[in-house]
Amino acid sequence: MTGAGTDHTRPKIEGGPTIVLVRPQLAVNIGMCARAMANFGLSDLRLVAPREGWPTRDPVYREASYSAAAGAAFLLDSAKLYETAREAIADLTFVYAATARERGQMKPVTTPAAALPQTVARIAAGERHGVIFGPERTGLDNDEVALADSILTFPVNPAYASLNLAQAVLLTGYEWFRAAHGDAIPFDNSERSPPATREMTLSFFDFLERELDERQFFRPETKKPVMSRNLRNMFHRMGLTEQDVRTLRGMVVRLIEGPRREPKKASRRNPSEPE
Amino acid sequence: MTGAGTDHTRPKIEGGPTIVLVRPQLAVNIGMCARAMANFGLSDLRLVAPREGWPTRDPVYREASYSAAAGAAFLLDSAKLYETAREAIADLTFVYAATARERGQMKPVTTPAAALPQTVARIAAGERHGVIFGPERTGLDNDEVALADSILTFPVNPAYASLNLAQAVLLTGYEWFRAAHGDAIPFDNSERSPPATREMTLSFFDFLERELDERQFFRPETKKPVMSRNLRNMFHRMGLTEQDVRTLRGMVVRLIEGPRREPKKASRRNPSEPE
C-alpha cells in the first residue's frame, strides 16, 4: 500500500455523497476518514460538533489529524463545521444513517453494495445524497437516525461487528467508487511482452521434447504420449508470453550445452535476453 | 459504528485467507489489521519481522497495538512470527501479493471483488490461500511480489491511491466475507409491525378523503381526482405498516377533534397507541 501508487498528475476525482461525521470523538479519526474519502474520490466532508474542536487549535490534535489524513489534508482544510446533524444535512435530498445495529426505527435497511449504485444514478440526476456517521463509541442517537431516509449497514462478522469509523467511511467510499467509476484495475501488465502465439509455444515444446527424447526422458516409451501431454499442459497453464518462451528456450539450451565459454561467439545471440 | 453491534453470543466466524504482514513498521497498524480481520471473520494473522518487534515488549507499542485491535486482541495473541515472507507462506497453496502499483512482473492482476469468490471456492476444496501485504511506506519488494501467484490491487482514485495498510486488509476481508457468507444485512426491521394490508391502507385513505372533502380541501372540484391520486401515491410511497396506519389515523382524528379532553372516556381507545 503506501503512496507509491499515487499519481498526482492524474485528474482528481471529486463528487460522491457527502460524508457527515456527527460528534466525532478523536481528531485523528477525522484525519483517517479524510484519507479514506480521498482514496475513493469523495470530496465533501462535514463535521458536527467534534469533541476536540475544529479546526482544532491544540497542536497535538492538529498534528494527529493531519498526519492521519496523509495526502488528504485538502479535505480537512475544506471540511465544514456544524452544530447539529440537522443543519449539516439541510441541503441534502437523501440521507443514509450508518449504523451497526438494529435501531428499532421503521426505515429501509441497506448495504453500501446495494445502495451506492442507486446513489450514483440519483446524484447524476441532480440529487444530493449524504451519509451520517455517529461518534466512535456510541454511534448515532435515535433522533439522528430519524433524520435519515434509510439505514446503511455493513455485512460483517456478527460476533465482531464493531467497525472503526474510518473503515465504515472507507467501505462507503469503496462501493461508491466501484459503482461510479467501475471496478477497473488501476494498472495491468498489458504493456509487458505480448502473449506468445501458439506456433511459438508449440515450436518450443517440439524442441524441448526432441531434446528430452534424445536423453531418454520418456521411459517407458509407451508412456511417452501421456508424459508429453502432461508436460505441455503444465507449460500451457503458465500463459506464456513471447519473452517467457525465449527465456525457457534459453534455459533449456544452457541445460543442454553446459556453461558458456568466454569469449562466446558474437554471432550467437543469447535467446534468454530481452530484445 | 462502535461496539454496540457486536454480539458475542453469536458463533465466531473463522477461516478465510491467511493475512501476512511483511515488515510492518508500526505495532498500532498490526492492531488495526487484527480488528479489520475480526470484522470479517479472518483468523490467521502472520507477521514477518515487524520493525517494533513481536510480541512487542515495549509497553507503549504494546498498548498501542492492543488498543487499536479493540476486541480482536485474540488475533494478536495468536499471531505467528516469521523471519522471511517465504517462511510465512510456506504451507500455503496460493498467494496474492497486495500492491497499489504496477510492479513490472508478469502476473495476473485482480481485485478483491473478482478474486475472493474464487478463493472461497478453492479454500472450500481444501486449498490454503493467503495475501501478503508490504510495509506501510514502501510496500512489498520485488522479490516478495515474485513469491505470489497473483497480484491483488484495489479500485481506487488514481490521484490518491495510497491505501492505509489496515484499510487494504479491511477491503480484502470485506470481499471475503461477502463471497463466503453472502451480502446479508446483519439485521433488519422484519420484527417490527407487519406491513399494512391494502384494505387497511385504502380504508384510511377513504377516511382521510371523506374528512378532507367535508372541509372543502378539494378545490376546484374538477381537480379532485388528480389531487386524490397524488395524495394516495404520496402515502403509498411510505410503505406503510399496520402501526403506521394506526398512527396516521390517530393523527388525523386529533387534527379533526382538537385537544383531547381529560378525563377521556375509558371506552374510547386512542388509535395512535400501539397495541
Side-chain angles (χ1 to χ4, degrees), chain A residues 122-182:
Chain A
R122 290 172 65 175
I123 287 181
E127 298 191 21
R128 306 185 70 168
H129 286 215
V131 188
I132 57 176
F133 296 84
E136 291 87 333
R137 205 157 292 277
T138 56
L140 294 166
D141 69 32
N142 283 332
D143 287 339
E144 288 157 349
V145 173
L147 293 171
D149 298 273
S150 179
I151 285 175
L152 193 69
T153 195
F154 303 86
V156 286
N157 179 1
Y160 193 80
S162 155
L163 271 186
N164 163 281
L165 177 58
Q167 290 174 333
V169 170
L170 182 90
L171 291 181
T172 305
Y174 169 75
E175 292 291 4
W176 157 262
F177 193 85
R178 294 183 67 200
H181 304 289

XYZ file of all heavy atoms in Angstrom, chain A residues 122-182:
464
model
N -28.760 8.677 -8.846
C -29.574 9.802 -8.379
C -28.753 11.070 -8.234
O -29.257 12.171 -8.447
C -30.303 9.415 -7.089
C -31.391 8.364 -7.406
C -32.041 7.775 -6.194
N -32.790 8.771 -5.435
C -33.537 8.464 -4.361
N -33.622 7.208 -3.958
N -34.177 9.405 -3.715
N -27.474 10.945 -7.888
C -26.607 12.139 -7.873
C -26.428 12.646 -9.298
O -26.455 13.854 -9.552
C -25.253 11.822 -7.192
C -25.443 11.694 -5.669
C -24.217 12.902 -7.510
C -24.167 11.394 -4.893
N -26.287 11.709 -10.242
C -26.157 12.119 -11.647
C -27.407 12.863 -12.107
O -27.339 13.749 -12.960
C -25.903 10.892 -12.519
N -28.542 12.522 -11.515
C -29.801 13.182 -11.883
C -30.000 14.482 -11.117
O -31.052 15.114 -11.241
C -30.973 12.236 -11.619
N -29.005 14.894 -10.336
C -29.079 16.193 -9.681
C -29.408 16.157 -8.201
O -29.454 17.198 -7.546
N -29.643 14.958 -7.635
C -29.916 14.903 -6.202
C -28.625 15.067 -5.407
O -27.526 14.919 -5.936
C -30.588 13.561 -5.860
C -31.917 13.364 -6.550
C -32.669 12.159 -5.994
O -32.364 11.740 -4.860
O -33.557 11.655 -6.700
N -28.771 15.379 -4.141
C -27.599 15.482 -3.266
C -27.757 14.489 -2.130
O -28.638 14.640 -1.284
C -27.474 16.907 -2.731
C -27.451 17.933 -3.860
C -27.200 19.327 -3.343
N -25.818 19.442 -2.859
C -25.255 20.604 -2.558
N -25.931 21.732 -2.695
N -24.007 20.647 -2.135
N -26.910 13.479 -2.139
C -27.004 12.422 -1.132
C -25.882 12.541 -0.105
O -24.814 13.069 -0.400
C -26.936 11.051 -1.799
C -28.187 10.673 -2.523
N -28.659 9.390 -2.578
C -29.081 11.435 -3.214
C -29.781 9.366 -3.283
N -30.047 10.591 -3.685
N -26.136 12.031 1.085
C -25.116 12.038 2.116
C -25.292 10.871 3.059
O -26.330 10.209 3.085
N -24.232 10.613 3.824
C -24.264 9.553 4.835
C -23.827 10.164 6.155
O -22.795 10.850 6.211
C -23.314 8.393 4.475
C -23.509 7.226 5.447
C -23.517 7.937 3.038
N -24.617 9.964 7.204
C -24.208 10.438 8.527
C -23.685 9.274 9.350
O -24.267 8.186 9.375
C -25.343 11.190 9.272
C -26.597 10.324 9.437
C -25.714 12.463 8.531
C -27.691 11.010 10.257
N -22.539 9.539 10.005
C -21.871 8.549 10.851
C -21.826 9.095 12.284
O -21.519 10.266 12.473
C -20.433 8.318 10.384
C -20.329 7.728 9.000
C -20.381 8.538 7.877
C -20.178 6.353 8.827
C -20.280 7.990 6.599
C -20.074 5.806 7.560
C -20.126 6.624 6.444
N -22.068 8.250 13.249
C -22.098 8.699 14.635
C -20.746 8.664 15.312
O -19.746 8.280 14.712
N -20.711 9.068 16.584
C -19.454 9.052 17.346
C -18.924 7.625 17.487
O -19.692 6.659 17.481
C -19.862 9.591 18.715
C -21.190 10.229 18.537
C -21.845 9.545 17.389
N -17.618 7.538 17.655
C -16.934 6.255 17.711
C -17.562 5.298 18.726
O -17.763 4.118 18.448
C -15.450 6.446 18.058
C -14.622 7.110 16.979
C -14.650 8.636 17.063
O -15.642 9.196 17.573
O -13.669 9.261 16.625
N -17.833 5.796 19.909
C -18.182 4.860 20.973
C -19.669 4.509 20.992
O -20.039 3.363 21.259
C -17.751 5.429 22.337
C -17.511 4.383 23.401
C -16.594 4.891 24.498
N -15.242 5.099 24.018
C -14.314 4.134 23.916
N -14.608 2.894 24.267
N -13.107 4.402 23.471
N -20.489 5.466 20.655
C -21.929 5.250 20.859
C -22.727 5.175 19.563
O -23.857 4.690 19.567
C -22.511 6.404 21.691
O -22.202 7.629 21.009
C -21.923 6.422 23.072
N -22.163 5.650 18.471
C -22.954 5.712 17.242
C -23.971 6.847 17.302
O -24.024 7.623 18.267
N -24.766 6.948 16.267
C -25.786 7.997 16.191
C -26.846 7.781 17.257
O -27.190 6.643 17.581
C -26.460 7.956 14.813
C -25.556 8.303 13.622
C -26.238 7.884 12.318
C -25.230 9.788 13.598
N -27.380 8.873 17.796
C -28.516 8.679 18.700
C -29.791 8.521 17.870
O -29.808 8.750 16.665
C -28.582 9.788 19.758
C -28.958 11.141 19.191
O -29.728 11.206 18.212
O -28.498 12.156 19.748
N -30.858 8.112 18.538
C -32.061 7.754 17.792
C -32.660 8.925 17.022
O -33.191 8.743 15.927
C -33.102 7.142 18.738
C -32.740 5.712 19.083
O -32.081 5.028 18.291
N -33.145 5.257 20.251
N -32.571 10.128 17.587
C -33.115 11.285 16.877
C -32.296 11.575 15.625
O -32.836 12.058 14.621
C -33.130 12.523 17.793
C -34.222 12.406 18.847
O -35.165 11.620 18.630
O -34.119 13.093 19.877
N -31.023 11.290 15.667
C -30.191 11.492 14.473
C -30.501 10.436 13.414
O -30.574 10.747 12.230
C -28.708 11.487 14.865
C -28.329 12.766 15.626
C -27.106 12.621 16.504
O -26.642 11.469 16.710
O -26.618 13.641 16.997
N -30.702 9.197 13.847
C -31.102 8.159 12.886
C -32.430 8.548 12.228
O -32.633 8.345 11.026
C -31.208 6.784 13.579
C -31.795 5.738 12.630
C -29.830 6.321 14.068
N -33.308 9.156 13.019
C -34.628 9.540 12.492
C -34.532 10.593 11.395
O -35.471 10.779 10.617
C -35.521 10.044 13.626
N -33.405 11.306 11.303
C -33.224 12.309 10.239
C -33.047 11.658 8.871
O -33.176 12.330 7.849
C -31.977 13.163 10.519
C -31.999 14.091 11.729
C -30.605 14.663 11.961
C -33.012 15.213 11.499
N -32.726 10.386 8.862
C -32.312 9.746 7.603
C -33.480 9.084 6.883
O -34.493 8.733 7.480
C -31.234 8.708 7.893
N -33.308 8.927 5.576
C -34.292 8.220 4.764
C -34.121 6.713 4.879
O -35.070 5.954 4.702
C -34.110 8.606 3.291
C -34.348 10.077 3.057
O -35.501 10.450 2.839
O -33.372 10.852 3.131
N -32.884 6.284 5.115
C -32.587 4.860 5.035
C -31.403 4.561 5.945
O -30.571 5.429 6.214
C -32.245 4.515 3.584
O -31.928 3.150 3.437
N -31.363 3.350 6.450
C -30.237 2.932 7.287
C -29.218 2.195 6.422
O -29.578 1.339 5.603
C -30.732 2.042 8.448
C -31.416 2.927 9.497
C -29.598 1.232 9.055
C -32.045 2.170 10.628
N -27.969 2.569 6.583
C -26.885 1.913 5.858
C -26.108 1.072 6.852
O -25.658 1.573 7.882
C -25.963 2.985 5.254
C -24.955 2.539 4.213
C -25.673 2.135 2.936
C -23.967 3.664 3.918
N -25.948 -0.205 6.531
C -25.175 -1.038 7.441
C -24.243 -1.917 6.632
O -24.258 -1.897 5.397
C -26.096 -1.831 8.383
O -25.311 -2.353 9.455
C -26.802 -2.957 7.660
N -23.405 -2.674 7.293
C -22.308 -3.343 6.624
C -22.373 -4.840 6.896
O -22.652 -5.245 8.024
C -20.982 -2.755 7.118
C -20.902 -1.264 6.896
C -21.417 -0.379 7.839
C -20.384 -0.748 5.727
C -21.384 0.995 7.625
C -20.349 0.616 5.502
C -20.854 1.495 6.451
N -22.126 -5.649 5.886
C -22.115 -7.095 6.140
C -20.837 -7.448 6.888
O -19.761 -7.428 6.316
C -22.124 -7.702 4.731
C -21.544 -6.652 3.837
C -21.814 -5.322 4.482
N -20.965 -7.725 8.164
C -19.786 -8.011 8.993
C -20.019 -9.278 9.802
O -21.145 -9.755 9.927
C -19.475 -6.875 9.995
C -18.876 -5.675 9.299
C -20.731 -6.478 10.761
N -18.928 -9.789 10.331
C -18.934 -10.901 11.268
C -19.827 -10.530 12.456
O -19.485 -9.636 13.222
C -17.478 -11.108 11.724
C -17.323 -12.228 12.724
O -18.287 -12.884 13.096
N -16.086 -12.433 13.138
N -20.956 -11.208 12.644
C -21.863 -10.776 13.712
C -21.236 -10.880 15.101
O -21.633 -10.169 16.008
C -23.071 -11.705 13.559
C -22.689 -12.754 12.593
C -21.475 -12.311 11.849
N -20.233 -11.738 15.249
C -19.569 -11.855 16.550
C -18.583 -10.716 16.773
O -18.055 -10.552 17.866
C -18.838 -13.189 16.653
N -18.345 -9.918 15.741
C -17.372 -8.825 15.887
C -17.720 -7.723 14.900
O -17.040 -7.503 13.912
C -15.946 -9.344 15.655
C -14.922 -8.346 16.094
C -14.590 -8.221 17.439
C -14.333 -7.492 15.189
C -13.697 -7.280 17.851
C -13.432 -6.538 15.598
C -13.109 -6.439 16.933
O -12.240 -5.496 17.338
N -18.815 -7.040 15.180
C -19.410 -6.127 14.201
C -18.919 -4.699 14.331
O -19.318 -3.834 13.566
C -20.931 -6.168 14.340
N -18.035 -4.443 15.285
C -17.635 -3.083 15.581
C -16.621 -2.547 14.570
O -15.425 -2.754 14.692
C -17.042 -3.076 16.991
O -16.141 -2.024 17.162
N -17.130 -1.857 13.549
C -16.253 -1.256 12.539
C -15.719 0.073 13.052
O -16.464 0.890 13.571
C -17.042 -0.966 11.266
C -17.156 -2.016 10.182
C -17.868 -1.418 8.992
C -15.805 -2.556 9.750
N -14.443 0.288 12.846
C -13.847 1.594 13.114
C -14.511 2.646 12.218
O -14.934 2.359 11.102
C -12.345 1.441 12.837
C -11.626 2.748 12.659
O -11.694 3.345 11.599
N -10.943 3.189 13.677
N -14.621 3.872 12.734
C -15.311 4.938 11.992
C -14.740 5.119 10.583
O -15.477 5.165 9.590
C -15.200 6.248 12.792
C -15.792 7.507 12.173
C -17.278 7.337 11.885
C -15.580 8.708 13.109
N -13.421 5.215 10.485
C -12.805 5.436 9.170
C -13.009 4.241 8.254
O -13.074 4.380 7.031
C -11.312 5.727 9.329
N -13.119 3.059 8.829
C -13.336 1.874 7.994
C -14.757 1.845 7.458
O -14.989 1.401 6.332
C -12.983 0.620 8.792
C -11.461 0.542 9.007
C -11.038 -0.580 9.912
O -11.799 -1.011 10.766
N -9.812 -1.046 9.737
N -15.705 2.342 8.240
C -17.079 2.444 7.735
C -17.141 3.464 6.595
O -17.803 3.257 5.573
C -18.022 2.845 8.871
N -16.430 4.569 6.760
C -16.368 5.572 5.682
C -15.677 4.960 4.452
O -16.106 5.152 3.319
C -15.624 6.839 6.158
C -15.339 7.787 5.000
C -16.439 7.554 7.243
N -14.630 4.175 4.716
C -13.888 3.547 3.611
C -14.785 2.624 2.786
O -14.773 2.674 1.553
C -12.709 2.749 4.167
C -11.826 2.094 3.097
C -10.706 3.049 2.702
C -11.250 0.780 3.563
N -15.565 1.785 3.460
C -16.408 0.842 2.719
C -17.474 1.597 1.916
O -17.829 1.188 0.807
C -17.072 -0.150 3.672
C -16.121 -1.149 4.336
C -16.906 -2.084 5.246
C -15.347 -1.960 3.301
N -17.950 2.689 2.463
C -18.918 3.506 1.735
C -18.263 4.088 0.483
O -18.831 4.030 -0.619
C -19.430 4.634 2.656
O -19.958 4.054 3.850
C -20.508 5.459 1.956
N -17.056 4.636 0.665
C -16.341 5.206 -0.478
C -15.980 4.155 -1.519
O -16.100 4.393 -2.725
N -15.584 3.000 -1.044
C -15.202 1.899 -1.945
C -16.370 1.513 -2.844
O -16.221 1.397 -4.063
C -14.752 0.721 -1.083
C -14.555 -0.599 -1.784
C -13.445 -0.827 -2.595
C -15.460 -1.635 -1.597
C -13.260 -2.064 -3.201
C -15.280 -2.874 -2.195
C -14.179 -3.082 -3.005
O -13.997 -4.294 -3.604
N -17.535 1.344 -2.247
C -18.684 0.943 -3.064
C -19.151 2.096 -3.951
O -19.654 1.868 -5.052
C -19.823 0.418 -2.189
C -19.501 -0.911 -1.502
C -19.397 -2.114 -2.456
O -19.493 -1.939 -3.688
O -19.198 -3.240 -1.959
N -18.988 3.328 -3.473
C -19.275 4.481 -4.345
C -18.370 4.437 -5.574
O -18.813 4.559 -6.711
C -19.067 5.802 -3.593
C -18.795 6.951 -4.525
C -17.577 7.475 -4.869
C -19.766 7.673 -5.299
N -17.734 8.482 -5.776
C -19.064 8.628 -6.063
C -21.159 7.618 -5.392
C -19.712 9.515 -6.929
C -21.805 8.506 -6.256
C -21.079 9.438 -7.013
N -17.090 4.258 -5.328
C -16.124 4.291 -6.430
C -16.390 3.175 -7.424
O -16.356 3.381 -8.636
C -14.701 4.189 -5.872
C -13.641 4.516 -6.889
C -13.262 5.823 -7.117
C -13.024 3.510 -7.624
C -12.286 6.137 -8.056
C -12.053 3.808 -8.567
C -11.684 5.126 -8.784
N -16.677 1.977 -6.906
C -16.952 0.850 -7.805
C -18.184 1.144 -8.655
O -18.214 0.838 -9.850
C -17.189 -0.431 -7.004
C -15.962 -0.908 -6.274
C -16.255 -2.214 -5.558
N -16.491 -3.269 -6.525
C -17.128 -4.408 -6.262
N -17.623 -4.619 -5.065
N -17.284 -5.305 -7.188
N -19.200 1.723 -8.018
C -20.437 1.978 -8.751
C -20.279 3.148 -9.726
O -20.815 3.124 -10.832
C -21.587 2.255 -7.776
N -19.523 4.164 -9.314
C -19.423 5.378 -10.143
C -18.354 5.254 -11.215
O -18.511 5.782 -12.319
C -19.117 6.583 -9.245
N -17.278 4.595 -10.888
C -16.132 4.599 -11.785
C -15.756 3.210 -12.267
O -14.735 3.030 -12.922
C -14.933 5.259 -11.096
C -15.232 6.644 -10.605
N -15.411 7.703 -11.459
C -15.429 7.130 -9.357
C -15.691 8.782 -10.739
N -15.707 8.466 -9.462
N -16.565 2.238 -11.917
C -16.283 0.877 -12.363
C -15.272 0.214 -11.463
O -14.609 0.852 -10.651
